PDB file of all heavy atoms in Angstrom:
ATOM      1  N   ALA A 122      67.972  98.641  43.665  1.00  0.00           N
ATOM      2  CA  ALA A 122      68.719  97.848  44.628  1.00  0.00           C
ATOM      3  C   ALA A 122      70.039  98.522  44.961  1.00  0.00           C
ATOM      4  O   ALA A 122      70.459  98.525  46.134  1.00  0.00           O
ATOM      5  CB  ALA A 122      68.983  96.452  44.040  1.00  0.00           C
ATOM      6  N   LEU A 123      70.710  99.144  43.975  1.00  0.00           N
ATOM      7  CA  LEU A 123      71.955  99.849  44.257  1.00  0.00           C
ATOM      8  C   LEU A 123      71.740 101.057  45.134  1.00  0.00           C
ATOM      9  O   LEU A 123      72.503 101.329  46.052  1.00  0.00           O
ATOM     10  CB  LEU A 123      72.613 100.276  42.930  1.00  0.00           C
ATOM     11  CG  LEU A 123      73.136  99.139  42.035  1.00  0.00           C
ATOM     12  CD1 LEU A 123      73.717  99.719  40.738  1.00  0.00           C
ATOM     13  CD2 LEU A 123      74.181  98.335  42.772  1.00  0.00           C
ATOM     14  N   LEU A 124      70.641 101.772  44.887  1.00  0.00           N
ATOM     15  CA  LEU A 124      70.337 102.939  45.733  1.00  0.00           C
ATOM     16  C   LEU A 124      70.004 102.488  47.157  1.00  0.00           C
ATOM     17  O   LEU A 124      70.348 103.170  48.165  1.00  0.00           O
ATOM     18  CB  LEU A 124      69.151 103.713  45.162  1.00  0.00           C
ATOM     19  CG  LEU A 124      69.378 104.431  43.815  1.00  0.00           C
ATOM     20  CD1 LEU A 124      68.158 105.197  43.430  1.00  0.00           C
ATOM     21  CD2 LEU A 124      70.574 105.335  43.866  1.00  0.00           C
ATOM     22  N   GLN A 125      69.317 101.370  47.285  1.00  0.00           N
ATOM     23  CA  GLN A 125      68.973 100.882  48.594  1.00  0.00           C
ATOM     24  C   GLN A 125      70.218 100.483  49.422  1.00  0.00           C
ATOM     25  O   GLN A 125      70.295 100.768  50.589  1.00  0.00           O
ATOM     26  CB  GLN A 125      68.046  99.689  48.461  1.00  0.00           C
ATOM     27  CG  GLN A 125      67.674  99.018  49.792  1.00  0.00           C
ATOM     28  CD  GLN A 125      67.008  97.670  49.614  1.00  0.00           C
ATOM     29  OE1 GLN A 125      66.688  97.308  48.514  1.00  0.00           O
ATOM     30  NE2 GLN A 125      66.794  96.978  50.706  1.00  0.00           N
ATOM     31  N   LEU A 126      71.181  99.810  48.765  1.00  0.00           N
ATOM     32  CA  LEU A 126      72.401  99.392  49.483  1.00  0.00           C
ATOM     33  C   LEU A 126      73.259 100.588  49.782  1.00  0.00           C
ATOM     34  O   LEU A 126      73.813 100.696  50.929  1.00  0.00           O
ATOM     35  CB  LEU A 126      73.127  98.364  48.625  1.00  0.00           C
ATOM     36  CG  LEU A 126      72.476  97.029  48.473  1.00  0.00           C
ATOM     37  CD1 LEU A 126      73.277  96.184  47.541  1.00  0.00           C
ATOM     38  CD2 LEU A 126      72.308  96.305  49.791  1.00  0.00           C
ATOM     39  N   GLY A 127      73.460 101.474  48.841  1.00  0.00           N
ATOM     40  CA  GLY A 127      74.316 102.651  49.068  1.00  0.00           C
ATOM     41  C   GLY A 127      75.789 102.360  48.925  1.00  0.00           C
ATOM     42  O   GLY A 127      76.233 101.189  48.819  1.00  0.00           O
ATOM     43  N   GLY A 128      76.576 103.431  48.939  1.00  0.00           N
ATOM     44  CA  GLY A 128      78.004 103.323  48.727  1.00  0.00           C
ATOM     45  C   GLY A 128      78.747 102.555  49.861  1.00  0.00           C
ATOM     46  O   GLY A 128      79.547 101.687  49.575  1.00  0.00           O
ATOM     47  N   PRO A 129      78.502 102.885  51.143  1.00  0.00           N
ATOM     48  CA  PRO A 129      79.272 102.167  52.196  1.00  0.00           C
ATOM     49  C   PRO A 129      79.025 100.662  52.173  1.00  0.00           C
ATOM     50  O   PRO A 129      79.970  99.904  52.392  1.00  0.00           O
ATOM     51  CB  PRO A 129      78.738 102.837  53.473  1.00  0.00           C
ATOM     52  CG  PRO A 129      78.283 104.168  53.068  1.00  0.00           C
ATOM     53  CD  PRO A 129      77.713 103.990  51.675  1.00  0.00           C
ATOM     54  N   LYS A 130      77.773 100.251  51.962  1.00  0.00           N
ATOM     55  CA  LYS A 130      77.506  98.813  51.969  1.00  0.00           C
ATOM     56  C   LYS A 130      78.168  98.131  50.798  1.00  0.00           C
ATOM     57  O   LYS A 130      78.760  97.037  50.925  1.00  0.00           O
ATOM     58  CB  LYS A 130      75.978  98.614  51.900  1.00  0.00           C
ATOM     59  CG  LYS A 130      75.558  97.150  51.899  1.00  0.00           C
ATOM     60  CD  LYS A 130      75.862  96.471  53.208  1.00  0.00           C
ATOM     61  CE  LYS A 130      75.292  95.074  53.236  1.00  0.00           C
ATOM     62  NZ  LYS A 130      75.589  94.378  54.515  1.00  0.00           N
ATOM     63  N   LEU A 131      78.112  98.740  49.602  1.00  0.00           N
ATOM     64  CA  LEU A 131      78.780  98.141  48.433  1.00  0.00           C
ATOM     65  C   LEU A 131      80.305  98.111  48.598  1.00  0.00           C
ATOM     66  O   LEU A 131      80.940  97.160  48.195  1.00  0.00           O
ATOM     67  CB  LEU A 131      78.426  98.933  47.182  1.00  0.00           C
ATOM     68  CG  LEU A 131      76.966  98.810  46.701  1.00  0.00           C
ATOM     69  CD1 LEU A 131      76.695  99.748  45.541  1.00  0.00           C
ATOM     70  CD2 LEU A 131      76.645  97.392  46.267  1.00  0.00           C
ATOM     71  N   GLY A 132      80.862  99.165  49.216  1.00  0.00           N
ATOM     72  CA  GLY A 132      82.273  99.162  49.460  1.00  0.00           C
ATOM     73  C   GLY A 132      82.699  98.055  50.428  1.00  0.00           C
ATOM     74  O   GLY A 132      83.782  97.515  50.280  1.00  0.00           O
ATOM     75  N   HIS A 133      81.853  97.767  51.405  1.00  0.00           N
ATOM     76  CA  HIS A 133      82.133  96.681  52.336  1.00  0.00           C
ATOM     77  C   HIS A 133      82.022  95.312  51.667  1.00  0.00           C
ATOM     78  O   HIS A 133      82.818  94.404  51.897  1.00  0.00           O
ATOM     79  CB  HIS A 133      81.193  96.753  53.521  1.00  0.00           C
ATOM     80  CG  HIS A 133      81.374  95.620  54.510  1.00  0.00           C
ATOM     81  ND1 HIS A 133      82.493  95.498  55.337  1.00  0.00           N
ATOM     82  CD2 HIS A 133      80.587  94.561  54.800  1.00  0.00           C
ATOM     83  CE1 HIS A 133      82.395  94.426  56.073  1.00  0.00           C
ATOM     84  NE2 HIS A 133      81.228  93.806  55.778  1.00  0.00           N
ATOM     85  N   LEU A 134      81.021  95.124  50.759  1.00  0.00           N
ATOM     86  CA  LEU A 134      80.814  93.865  50.089  1.00  0.00           C
ATOM     87  C   LEU A 134      81.986  93.565  49.122  1.00  0.00           C
ATOM     88  O   LEU A 134      82.459  92.437  49.076  1.00  0.00           O
ATOM     89  CB  LEU A 134      79.493  93.856  49.318  1.00  0.00           C
ATOM     90  CG  LEU A 134      78.219  93.891  50.152  1.00  0.00           C
ATOM     91  CD1 LEU A 134      77.001  93.965  49.238  1.00  0.00           C
ATOM     92  CD2 LEU A 134      78.115  92.658  51.048  1.00  0.00           C
ATOM     93  N   PHE A 135      82.448  94.574  48.396  1.00  0.00           N
ATOM     94  CA  PHE A 135      83.486  94.402  47.376  1.00  0.00           C
ATOM     95  C   PHE A 135      84.807  94.983  47.876  1.00  0.00           C
ATOM     96  O   PHE A 135      85.474  95.711  47.141  1.00  0.00           O
ATOM     97  CB  PHE A 135      83.074  95.021  46.077  1.00  0.00           C
ATOM     98  CG  PHE A 135      81.769  94.499  45.534  1.00  0.00           C
ATOM     99  CD1 PHE A 135      80.628  95.293  45.532  1.00  0.00           C
ATOM    100  CD2 PHE A 135      81.680  93.207  45.080  1.00  0.00           C
ATOM    101  CE1 PHE A 135      79.435  94.818  45.057  1.00  0.00           C
ATOM    102  CE2 PHE A 135      80.475  92.717  44.592  1.00  0.00           C
ATOM    103  CZ  PHE A 135      79.356  93.540  44.600  1.00  0.00           C
ATOM    104  N   GLN A 136      85.152  94.692  49.103  1.00  0.00           N
ATOM    105  CA  GLN A 136      86.378  95.255  49.674  1.00  0.00           C
ATOM    106  C   GLN A 136      87.597  94.700  48.993  1.00  0.00           C
ATOM    107  O   GLN A 136      88.572  95.410  48.724  1.00  0.00           O
ATOM    108  CB  GLN A 136      86.444  94.962  51.169  1.00  0.00           C
ATOM    109  CG  GLN A 136      87.638  95.582  51.861  1.00  0.00           C
ATOM    110  CD  GLN A 136      87.613  95.330  53.381  1.00  0.00           C
ATOM    111  OE1 GLN A 136      86.766  94.608  53.870  1.00  0.00           O
ATOM    112  NE2 GLN A 136      88.545  95.904  54.103  1.00  0.00           N
ATOM    113  N   MET A 137      87.558  93.402  48.639  1.00  0.00           N
ATOM    114  CA  MET A 137      88.703  92.786  47.940  1.00  0.00           C
ATOM    115  C   MET A 137      88.712  93.158  46.439  1.00  0.00           C
ATOM    116  O   MET A 137      89.649  93.738  45.955  1.00  0.00           O
ATOM    117  CB  MET A 137      88.646  91.267  48.123  1.00  0.00           C
ATOM    118  CG  MET A 137      88.725  90.807  49.520  1.00  0.00           C
ATOM    119  SD  MET A 137      90.292  91.295  50.332  1.00  0.00           S
ATOM    120  CE  MET A 137      91.452  90.396  49.328  1.00  0.00           C
ATOM    121  N   ASP A 138      87.662  92.866  45.746  1.00  0.00           N
ATOM    122  CA  ASP A 138      87.505  93.275  44.356  1.00  0.00           C
ATOM    123  C   ASP A 138      86.083  92.960  43.896  1.00  0.00           C
ATOM    124  O   ASP A 138      85.356  92.244  44.544  1.00  0.00           O
ATOM    125  CB  ASP A 138      88.526  92.546  43.453  1.00  0.00           C
ATOM    126  CG  ASP A 138      88.365  91.041  43.498  1.00  0.00           C
ATOM    127  OD1 ASP A 138      87.527  90.570  44.243  1.00  0.00           O
ATOM    128  OD2 ASP A 138      89.069  90.313  42.778  1.00  0.00           O
ATOM    129  N   VAL A 139      85.721  93.569  42.781  1.00  0.00           N
ATOM    130  CA  VAL A 139      84.450  93.336  42.113  1.00  0.00           C
ATOM    131  C   VAL A 139      84.586  92.157  41.173  1.00  0.00           C
ATOM    132  O   VAL A 139      85.595  92.050  40.462  1.00  0.00           O
ATOM    133  CB  VAL A 139      83.948  94.588  41.421  1.00  0.00           C
ATOM    134  CG1 VAL A 139      82.539  94.392  40.843  1.00  0.00           C
ATOM    135  CG2 VAL A 139      84.014  95.765  42.345  1.00  0.00           C
ATOM    136  N   GLY A 140      83.597  91.255  41.178  1.00  0.00           N
ATOM    137  CA  GLY A 140      83.665  90.090  40.358  1.00  0.00           C
ATOM    138  C   GLY A 140      83.773  90.423  38.858  1.00  0.00           C
ATOM    139  O   GLY A 140      83.449  91.543  38.406  1.00  0.00           O
ATOM    140  N   PHE A 141      84.269  89.473  38.073  1.00  0.00           N
ATOM    141  CA  PHE A 141      84.515  89.672  36.653  1.00  0.00           C
ATOM    142  C   PHE A 141      83.182  90.025  35.943  1.00  0.00           C
ATOM    143  O   PHE A 141      82.206  89.264  36.033  1.00  0.00           O
ATOM    144  CB  PHE A 141      85.146  88.473  36.035  1.00  0.00           C
ATOM    145  CG  PHE A 141      85.270  88.555  34.524  1.00  0.00           C
ATOM    146  CD1 PHE A 141      86.178  89.455  33.973  1.00  0.00           C
ATOM    147  CD2 PHE A 141      84.498  87.770  33.709  1.00  0.00           C
ATOM    148  CE1 PHE A 141      86.307  89.535  32.622  1.00  0.00           C
ATOM    149  CE2 PHE A 141      84.623  87.869  32.345  1.00  0.00           C
ATOM    150  CZ  PHE A 141      85.534  88.746  31.797  1.00  0.00           C
ATOM    151  N   GLY A 142      83.145  91.126  35.234  1.00  0.00           N
ATOM    152  CA  GLY A 142      81.984  91.573  34.466  1.00  0.00           C
ATOM    153  C   GLY A 142      80.922  92.310  35.239  1.00  0.00           C
ATOM    154  O   GLY A 142      80.030  92.903  34.661  1.00  0.00           O
ATOM    155  N   LEU A 143      81.061  92.310  36.626  1.00  0.00           N
ATOM    156  CA  LEU A 143      80.005  92.905  37.427  1.00  0.00           C
ATOM    157  C   LEU A 143      80.143  94.435  37.459  1.00  0.00           C
ATOM    158  O   LEU A 143      79.151  95.162  37.516  1.00  0.00           O
ATOM    159  CB  LEU A 143      80.063  92.390  38.851  1.00  0.00           C
ATOM    160  CG  LEU A 143      78.960  92.830  39.796  1.00  0.00           C
ATOM    161  CD1 LEU A 143      77.591  92.496  39.286  1.00  0.00           C
ATOM    162  CD2 LEU A 143      79.157  92.215  41.182  1.00  0.00           C
ATOM    163  N   LEU A 144      81.360  94.967  37.401  1.00  0.00           N
ATOM    164  CA  LEU A 144      81.543  96.441  37.437  1.00  0.00           C
ATOM    165  C   LEU A 144      80.890  97.110  36.255  1.00  0.00           C
ATOM    166  O   LEU A 144      80.272  98.140  36.389  1.00  0.00           O
ATOM    167  CB  LEU A 144      83.043  96.735  37.482  1.00  0.00           C
ATOM    168  CG  LEU A 144      83.388  98.246  37.517  1.00  0.00           C
ATOM    169  CD1 LEU A 144      82.865  98.913  38.731  1.00  0.00           C
ATOM    170  CD2 LEU A 144      84.895  98.443  37.381  1.00  0.00           C
TER     171      LEU A 144
END
Side-chain angles (χ1 to χ4, degrees):
L123 292 177
L124 294 183
Q125 176 192 351
L126 292 176
K130 181 66 174 180
L131 290 174
H133 177 70
L134 292 177
F135 303 109
Q136 185 176 4
M137 298 299 297
D138 60 357
V139 185
F141 174 68
L143 185 59
L144 179 62

